[in-house]
Amino acid sequence: MRIGELSRETGVAIPTIKYYVREGLLPAGRLTSPNQASYDDGHVRRLRLIRGLIDVGGLTVSAVREVLAAVDSPGEPVHEVLGAAQHAITPRPAATPEGMERARQSVAELIRHRGWRVGPDHPAFEALAVALATFRGVGRGEFEEILDDYAAACERVAAADLAWLGRNAEVDGMVECVVVGTVLGDAVLAAMRRLAHVEASARKFEGAAEGAAGEGAAAEGAGGR
Amino acid sequence: MRIGELSRETGVAIPTIKYYVREGLLPAGRLTSPNQASYDDGHVRRLRLIRGLIDVGGLTVSAVREVLAAVDSPGEPVHEVLGAAQHAITPRPAATPEGMERARQSVAELIRHRGWRVGPDHPAFEALAVALATFRGVGRGEFEEILDDYAAACERVAAADLAWLGRNAEVDGMVECVVVGTVLGDAVLAAMRRLAHVEASARKFEGAAEGAAGEGAAAEGAGGR
């Protein structure tokens, strides 16, 4: 297909497509004449992946470049490539040295308590410490009281993620599947947590009377599987 | 304190502090002479909140302004203000109309199945639909197979969040607590999910032999609270 059709198919403007090609995110089309190129379904899929990482995942163009480089390196162990992708995704802002030290101890304690086999060199270890140090910095250090609930929830999500990966990723697409699942999964989790907050708030603040008046009275039994 | 001390206390550069004052994120200091202002602990705390929302939460300056306006509106019902804050936080990228329609149906079905009392007018409803449409757009529509696990995990997190809010938020700080917990909680969840992935991958890919050789052999029993 020509670039115009690629643009219509994906909803990405032609100048943006050309920009992604220049930036090395999208492979150039196959030249069919000196000033005409042809694109295929691989371009459609890659372009949708780029837009998903940027629009839904909130990644920068340079983070996307790093992630796609990992996706395109054949033969690298999944662990390493996932680490590279996560490194690009994980923010690393500043906090006071004392606050960070204390927060790192909390993270190490949590990991030990849960029996997780992951060390302080993982980028997410530091990202978690930054978030905890920030909670404490704004006067909400007691947030750590509920860390264990977060950890249990994350264990459930991670187990589901890995099972999904095992069922659906052909070997070729494994790394792309990991990247997509990691980045878009964050967006799913954030949106769904807000929806769950509404239900939890409704139960807590509005009380049983209003709950019974609505149609969601059977909500308690909705634990599914 | 003077602006230099405020800067040292928070690690935020003086020009940045002045920028936040001009942008209306931070209240001006109390003038002690025509060209000297005095700042207090309220400024320290507000500045840390601003940096946390920007650095850890990934919010833009204008999203922070919207969120802080909600924090500073006394008397508004928590639900409404939280909605405003979430609106600022939730990304709203484009997807094809057909893809979005199908994704919205999936979200509605999930909400019905879980018995949640939340409608399609909530910004997170649309944000979740965008994420699901993006999964399908990049050829990973089967992600919806594990949505129910995500929902169960989010119910647990939301219940913990609300309990924490009830224990720790004095009435005055309730809305700020909601905003901090929502935005920084996302960062905690994303980082912790990556750590949980490492443990889940270790179990799945490295197998029992390597697990027993390491020191995390008792990981199965780590479900405690």
Side-chain angles (χ1 to χ4, degrees), chain A residues 154-214:
Chain A
C154 286
E155 283 175 1
R156 175 158 195 172
V157 166
D161 287 338
L162 268 284
W164 169 69
L165 199 64
R167 279 197 307 275
N168 294 296
E170 62 289 16
V171 172
D172 242 17
M174 171 75 88
V175 178
E176 185 187 308
C177 206
V178 167
V179 168
V180 167
T182 301
V183 177
L184 297 187
D186 281 350
V188 167
L189 213 45
M192 216 184 255
R193 176 171 170 245
R194 284 160 175 67
L195 296 177
H197 277 159
V198 177
E199 172 61 18
S201 298
R203 289 194 204 177
K204 194 180 173 84
F205 290 113
E206 295 165 11
E210 203 170 327

Side-chain angles (χ1 to χ4, degrees), chain A residues 38-124:
Chain A
S38 167
Y39 300 84
D40 59 24
D41 286 347
H43 288 93
V44 172
R45 190 166 152 168
R46 172 56 58 102
L47 207 41
R48 284 188 178 145
L49 177 60
I50 294 168
R51 295 304 303 185
L53 294 174
I54 291 175
D55 291 341
V56 182
L59 269 66
T60 63
V61 166
S62 76
V64 170
R65 187 188 298 110
E66 217 175 305
V67 166
L68 292 178
V71 168
D72 294 335
S73 331
E76 289 203 46
V78 174
H79 255 114
E80 308 263 317
V81 179
L82 182 52
Q86 289 172 337
H87 186 79
I89 294 158
T90 309
R92 299 176 145 273
T96 67
E98 308 76 42
M100 280 303 299
E101 203 35 60
R102 179 172 184 169
R104 283 189 200 103
Q105 284 168 16
S106 295
V107 176
E109 165 61 23
L110 176 87
I111 287 174
R112 194 201 56 71
H113 175 64
R114 305 300 302 190
W116 292 351
R117 287 162 285 174
V118 53
D121 51 324
H122 193 288

Side-chain angles (χ1 to χ4, degrees), chain B residues 68-88:
Chain B
L68 292 179
V71 168
D72 294 336
S73 330
E76 290 204 45
V78 174
H79 255 114
E80 309 263 316
V81 178
L82 182 53
Q86 289 171 335
H87 186 79

Side-chain angles (χ1 to χ4, degrees), chain A residues 126-165:
Chain A
E126 193 73 1
L128 181 53
V130 166
L132 296 185
T134 307
F135 262 113
R136 195 167 291 280
V138 299
R140 303 290 177 189
E142 359 67 23
F143 177 81
E144 293 189 14
E145 290 166 14
I146 58 169
L147 271 191
D148 221 46
D149 287 290
Y150 273 65
C154 286
E155 283 175 1
R156 175 158 195 172
V157 166
D161 287 338
L162 268 284
W164 169 69
L165 199 64

Side-chain angles (χ1 to χ4, degrees), chain B residues 63-151:
Chain B
V64 170
R65 187 187 298 110
E66 217 175 304
V67 166
L68 292 179
V71 168
D72 294 336
S73 330
E76 290 204 45
V78 174
H79 255 114
E80 309 263 316
V81 178
L82 182 53
Q86 289 171 335
H87 186 79
I89 293 158
T90 309
R92 298 175 146 275
T96 66
E98 308 75 42
M100 281 303 300
E101 200 38 58
R102 180 172 182 168
R104 282 190 200 103
Q105 283 168 16
S106 295
V107 176
E109 166 62 22
L110 176 88
I111 288 174
R112 193 200 56 71
H113 175 64
R114 306 299 302 189
W116 292 352
R117 285 161 287 175
V118 53
D121 50 326
H122 193 287
F125 185 105
E126 192 72 2
L128 181 53
V130 166
L132 296 185
T134 307
F135 262 113
R136 194 167 291 280
V138 300
R140 303 291 176 188
E142 0 66 23
F143 178 81
E144 294 190 13
E145 290 167 14
I146 58 169
L147 271 190
D148 219 46
D149 287 289
Y150 273 64

Side-chain angles (χ1 to χ4, degrees), chain B residues 171-193:
Chain B
V171 172
D172 242 15
M174 171 73 88
V175 178
E176 185 187 309
C177 206
V178 167
V179 167
V180 167
T182 300
V183 176
L184 298 187
D186 281 350
V188 167
L189 213 46
M192 216 183 257
R193 176 171 171 245

